[in-house]
Amino acid sequence: LTPDTLRAIPSQVLKLFGLDAMDAGMQNENDSNHHTTGIRKLFLHQSQAIESAMNGIHTVVCTGTGSGKSLCFLLPVLAKAFISLRQSQNCLKLGSAAILLFPTKALAQDQYSKLS
């Protein structure tokens, strides 16, 4: 992620996903450091998708099962909602909202458990 995009993502959202603003770089197949430190590094498709979404670009991600697609949309959605909420509290405006639709109950429960 570019430094500008990292600065735009609230630290609380990065922490929710186990990302460190100083070390949210990309991992490669041989990088096992994230298992010992607890800090998650992004795969290339995640970094590109988050970068696009945070910059208002419509984004489609097509990768295999279990490859981290959820992070590609959850992080930008929560970051934008958090920013909107913070701005609305300062200006007495309404914040934004997001509706997340999942094709199966199992996937919905899986995503819900990641957020709670």
Side-chain angles (χ1 to χ4, degrees):
L1 298 174
T2 64
D4 287 340
T5 298
L6 275 174
R7 279 190 293 275
I9 300 171
S11 61
Q12 296 90 332
V13 175
L14 290 173
K15 187 183 291 185
L16 176 68
F17 291 103
L19 297 170
D20 180 3
M22 300 303 294
D23 192 29
M26 293 180 293
Q27 73 179 26
N28 60 45
E29 306 87 41
N30 302 321
D31 186 8
S32 61
N33 188 41
H34 67 284
H35 293 294
T36 58
T37 63
I39 300 298
R40 176 186 295 171
K41 291 189 176 188
L42 300 174
F43 289 106
L44 179 61
H45 69 276
Q46 292 172 317
S47 179
Q48 291 173 336
I50 292 167
E51 187 78 36
S52 294
M54 289 298 297
N55 287 294
I57 299 169
H58 295 281
T59 305
V60 174
V61 178
C62 181
T63 63
T65 302
S67 63
K69 291 181 292 294
S70 298
L71 183 67
C72 297
F73 71 86
L74 282 175
L75 189 145
V77 165
L78 293 177
K80 296 284 186 168
F82 191 91
I83 292 165
S84 175
L85 180 62
R86 191 178 340 157
Q87 291 172 344
S88 69
Q89 290 174 342
N90 294 337
C91 304
L92 299 175
K93 294 180 184 176
L94 294 176
S96 64
I99 298 174
L100 303 175
L101 301 174
F102 298 96
T104 65
K105 184 176 181 180
L107 182 57
Q109 291 298 319
D110 179 60
Q111 298 307 305
Y112 180 74
S113 70
K114 289 179 182 179
L115 295 175
S116 47

